[in-house]
Amino acid sequence: DFGIWGFFAVWILKGLQFFYEFIPNYGVSIILLTFVIRLLTFPLQYKSFVSMKKLQLIQPELTKIREKFKDDPMKLQKESMALFKNSGANPLGGCLPLILQMPVFFAFYKVLYAAVELVDAPFYGWLTDLSNKDPYYVLPVLMTGAMFLQQKLTPNTVTDPVQQKMMMFMPLIFGFIMKDLPSGLSLYIFVSTLMGIAQQLLVFKSMGTSKTVVVA
């Protein structure tokens, strides 16, 4: 019983079983399935990456509008929306990858906890049970590092200093949460983040702006 995430969880389990038939290692199956999921969702993520970059490019103009109409909320909203429309930027575009991953994240969590196939399923080396936590916290640390790198490469569209600091600590908070969750889940997020970085760099390079992606 996979609960409310049953629809996604069943297909994830079937996908893992499919790859397991060719390579009898559920860790490898998780990696291969992550690649497939990332490829299938890439068209939507492409739009998100492009939107985030456009948002970064219009930040100076958006700051001017906020300063000019700070005492007129209606005019501020109207001018900001006009700028978004003319530039093709979507202020909610950066949320799309996270929204897309949430059902998969929870479904993977349910599969790793409830599917008997994953109990005591080894990967390599110290990872002898993908349904249990990483005993040495290697994967959570690698995952946190990859998330920091992705954050560094992502165009900065947040101007508020407090929000910037909160965003900076998000990978650490997420890594702390993940340290006691199944290592198979950390493996999925780590591989997914690495592939997301590769896709992001590919999109920005195709836009001819790859040299301006890294933010301070």
Side-chain angles (χ1 to χ4, degrees):
D1 182 9
F2 294 122
I4 62 173
W5 303 105
F7 175 81
F8 296 100
V10 167
W11 284 104
I12 284 174
L13 180 57
K14 288 182 177 180
L16 292 175
Q17 291 171 336
F18 172 79
F19 289 117
Y20 187 82
E21 291 181 6
F22 298 95
I23 305 176
N25 185 306
Y26 275 110
V28 176
S29 297
I30 289 174
I31 293 173
L32 293 175
L33 184 59
T34 304
F35 270 77
V36 171
I37 292 171
R38 272 287 182 176
L39 289 174
L40 289 176
T41 58
F42 180 67
L44 289 175
Q45 294 195 351
Y46 174 83
K47 294 181 180 179
S48 175
F49 293 146
V50 171
S51 181
M52 283 192 296
K53 189 60 190 177
K54 288 180 178 179
L55 276 174
Q56 184 193 38
L57 296 175
I58 66 170
Q59 281 303 306
E61 188 65 26
L62 192 59
T63 301
K64 291 179 183 178
I65 291 174
R66 286 170 177 166
E67 285 294 322
K68 185 177 181 180
F69 301 108
K70 60 183 178 180
D71 297 324
D72 189 347
M74 294 294 292
K75 188 67 174 178
L76 173 60
Q77 184 179 10
K78 182 179 179 181
E79 292 296 325
S80 298
M81 294 305 295
L83 179 61
F84 292 143
K85 183 178 180 180
N86 293 334
S87 65
N90 182 359
L92 299 178
C95 300
L96 184 60
L98 180 61
I99 294 172
L100 287 173
Q101 289 188 61
M102 290 309 290
V104 179
F105 174 85
F106 286 113
F108 254 113
Y109 178 83
K110 294 299 292 185
V111 168
L112 289 165
Y113 262 113
V116 67
E117 293 91 339
L118 275 297
V119 176
D120 293 327
F123 182 34
Y124 291 112
W126 73 100
L127 296 173
T128 58
D129 184 358
L130 290 168
S131 68
N132 205 349
K133 69 177 184 179
D134 184 334
Y136 302 111
Y137 306 113
V138 175
L139 277 178
V141 170
L142 291 175
M143 181 201 71
T144 302
M147 293 179 74
F148 267 119
L149 177 59
Q150 187 178 48
Q151 187 181 75
K152 199 71 174 175
L153 295 173
T154 300
N156 187 6
T157 59
V158 178
T159 56
D160 181 53
V162 176
Q163 292 184 17
Q164 287 180 349
K165 289 181 179 179
M166 288 180 62
M167 293 295 293
M168 183 177 66
F169 284 105
M170 282 304 294
L172 280 177
I173 296 171
F174 198 67
F176 180 79
I177 294 172
M178 290 299 301
K179 70 181 180 68
D180 293 319
L181 294 182
S183 56
L185 196 60
S186 295
L187 178 63
Y188 157 68
I189 298 174
F190 175 56
V191 175
S192 181
T193 303
L194 289 181
M195 193 170 181
I197 291 171
Q199 290 175 334
Q200 190 170 311
L201 291 175
L202 180 64
V203 171
F204 291 150
K205 185 176 181 180
S206 70
M207 295 175 67
T209 55
S210 60
K211 293 183 180 180
T212 62
V213 172
V214 177
V215 294

